[in-house]
Amino acid sequence: MSAADVRAILDRVSSSALPDSSDLVSLLSADDPAEVQEILDAADRIRKQFVGDGVLLRGIVEFGSFCSNTCSYCGLHAGNTALTRYRLSAEEILASVDAIAAQGIRTVVLQSGEDAGMDPAWLARIVEEIKARHGMSVTLSAGEWPRAEYALWRSAGADRYLLKIESSDTELYESLHQKRFLSSRLRCLEELADLGYQVGSGIMVGLKGQALSHIARDILFFRQSDFDMIGIGPFLPHPQTLLRDQGRGDVMLTLKTVALTRIVTRDSHLPATTSLGSMGQDYRPKALQAGANVLMPNFTPAAYKKLYEIYPGKRCVSEPTGACGFCMEGMVASIGRFIDYGQGDSLKAGKGLTRPLTARG
Ligand code: SAM
Ligand code: FES
């Protein structure tokens, strides 16, 4: 493929309502550095046009590491007896959220393993308290639950929910999850949207058995599902998992996937994921220049951060709580962008309260 071929395919992909999967596979397979740069630059232009130069911050609090699930890639899986498990108290969670608010950040993401021992009413009370104290946006990411629980948290004030699909291919999904079904993940995503949540999803790049054609179909799935947020990160092997011997996901392929997701979905919010920052070099600035527009500073209390070990070598586990927010100011300035201290609601028509950018000042 020549640079001219890449430009011609990019033109077709960016002007089509639903591009051809074969065009996406061609772009994902580009490996000449100049051709790859064409793809990342095209995504950067579309990012600027549709979501602007502001980088949104979402403060994340990893509020528990217990998990009843057995995902073959994740260090938190139920069978990992080497991991010390924790559940934060309501007071600890609220103190972390206070720290997020004190830095002027207006979205909190409360994430945990899929913990069958968690009392849904307890989480609902925490959401209510956050809304009462700070009025900030609350995103939950606690896995698959029955509709009644999603409805409870929504009526308590939760605005958004993150549930990554990991792969939109039934066979691949089910090869990675024991006794878990793609159909149930899809049902959850549909119910969340139906309940009025702004919905986020996403995939890992570099999963065992994942071909470029799977990634191309995932990108088309993102377009058809019209997700408000899409998180894409490299798979990183954890020694206490079934996939311990699988190599890590390729950085360039991950960046091309972020870029093509931007080109195809246009105005979804795309984080520069922590996993992209955890590969020796920090590739988050690169992701921000390849279509991403969100960063997720970690506000989990310092004593627990290292226990939320989804994969080894996770970025910033020894930083004091809240350090990431300040560090990210510098990261974003170094690439000529700025932090947008707005809530960063969905930009999809009718789904979010689209607000003008609000720089802290
Ligand atoms: N329990 C919730 C759920 O299932 O959606 C949220 C927690 S889960 C640990 C958050 C995300 O971590 C997953 O959706 C997955 O994409 C990512 N993840 C898990 N294991 C990973 C690994 N080995 N490398 C990179 N990302 C991983
Ligand atoms: Fe965590 Fe820089 S992003 S300290």
Side-chain angles (χ1 to χ4, degrees):
M1 213 169 30
S2 67
D5 291 335
V6 168
R7 276 197 292 276
I9 302 174
L10 275 172
D11 280 350
R12 266 204 307 276
V13 166
S14 36
S15 58
S16 154
L18 196 62
D20 252 25
S21 165
S22 60
D23 276 344
L24 294 176
V25 170
S26 302
L27 294 172
L28 288 167
S29 62
D31 57 4
D32 173 81
E35 292 172 10
V36 172
Q37 200 54 50
E38 289 274 353
I39 299 169
L40 307 191
D41 289 348
D44 201 41
R45 287 192 294 275
I46 292 185
R47 185 269 311 150
K48 191 175 176 69
Q49 182 186 349
F50 284 90
V51 301
D53 281 341
V55 174
L56 298 162
L57 295 186
R58 324 284 204 200
I60 182 161
V61 182
E62 296 148 338
F63 69 93
S65 66
F66 283 86
C67 191
S68 331
N69 226 336
T70 52
C71 308
S72 59
Y73 43 82
C74 182
L76 303 189
H77 74 90
N80 183 3
T81 50
L83 190 69
T84 305
R85 307 278 174 167
Y86 70 91
R87 285 188 188 101
L88 295 190
S89 66
E91 291 68 33
E92 286 169 318
I93 296 172
L94 291 167
S96 299
V97 177
D98 290 345
I100 291 172
Q103 283 192 27
I105 298 172
R106 295 173 57 210
T107 293
V108 58
V109 180
L110 298 180
Q111 193 184 78
S112 71
E114 200 169 288
D115 180 5
M118 179 184 69
D119 175 7
W122 168 84
L123 185 58
R125 286 193 295 277
I126 291 171
V127 172
E128 274 168 10
E129 180 61 25
I130 294 172
K131 296 303 263 190
R133 278 193 200 183
H134 303 294
M136 57 167 56
S137 282
V138 177
T139 303
L140 298 178
S141 176
E144 293 183 31
W145 285 82
R147 184 184 174 103
E149 274 70 34
Y150 289 151
L152 172 73
W153 298 330
R154 178 85 183 111
S155 47
D159 307 274
R160 309 180 187 144
Y161 204 98
L162 295 181
L163 187 68
K164 288 202 196 175
I165 193 88
E166 318 299 359
S167 169
S168 62
D169 182 271
T170 307
E171 211 176 306
L172 181 56
Y173 182 93
E174 287 168 16
S175 74
L176 299 165
H177 302 91
Q178 292 153 34
K179 301 195 202 112
R180 284 302 179 128
F181 303 98
L182 183 65
S183 53
S184 126
R185 203 87 174 161
L186 291 171
R187 176 192 53 77
C188 289
L189 287 165
E190 270 166 29
E191 285 177 351
L192 289 162
D194 191 47
L195 287 164
Y197 282 95
Q198 297 171 35
V199 179
S201 194
I203 58 164
M204 275 173 280
V205 171
L207 290 167
K208 186 165 190 260
Q210 185 187 51
L212 296 185
S213 55
H214 288 118
I215 300 178
R217 288 200 300 273
D218 291 337
I219 295 171
L220 295 175
F221 172 77
F222 295 151
R223 172 77 193 91
Q224 286 167 313
S225 308
D226 212 20
F227 290 125
D228 303 298
M229 303 160 282
I230 301 160
I232 295 160
F235 160 74
L236 296 166
H238 187 293
Q240 305 292 336
T241 61
L242 285 173
L243 295 190
R244 67 180 75 86
D245 296 325
Q246 169 83 1
R248 50 171 50 180
D250 180 73
V251 174
M252 274 307 148
L253 181 57
T254 308
L255 291 172
K256 281 184 282 181
T257 305
V258 172
L260 292 173
T261 300
R262 167 59 67 207
I263 292 169
V264 171
T265 67
R266 305 208 175 149
D267 60 358
S268 297
H269 291 305
L270 310 187
T273 51
T274 306
S275 49
L276 263 171
S278 307
M279 307 190 78
Q281 188 184 328
D282 185 352
Y283 289 99
R284 289 174 300 176
K286 212 58 191 131
L288 291 172
Q289 294 173 300
N293 70 316
V294 176
L295 284 168
M296 298 179 69
N298 193 329
F299 283 79
T300 307
Y304 300 101
K305 268 192 196 177
K306 60 180 172 307
L307 300 178
Y308 197 79
E309 196 190 50
I310 304 173
Y311 46 79
K314 197 154 144 246
R315 178 142 213 114
C316 304
V317 287
S318 42
E319 305 296 327
T321 308
C324 295
F326 297 115
C327 169
M328 285 172 180
E329 285 263 9
M331 183 195 303
V332 163
S334 75
I335 55 167
R337 303 264 284 280
F338 65 94
I339 301 279
D340 173 3
Y341 282 94
Q343 286 197 164
D345 280 301
S346 171
L347 298 174
K348 308 278 178 194
K351 286 210 197 164
L353 307 164
T354 339
R355 293 198 175 88
L357 299 179
T358 44
R360 189 171 68 167

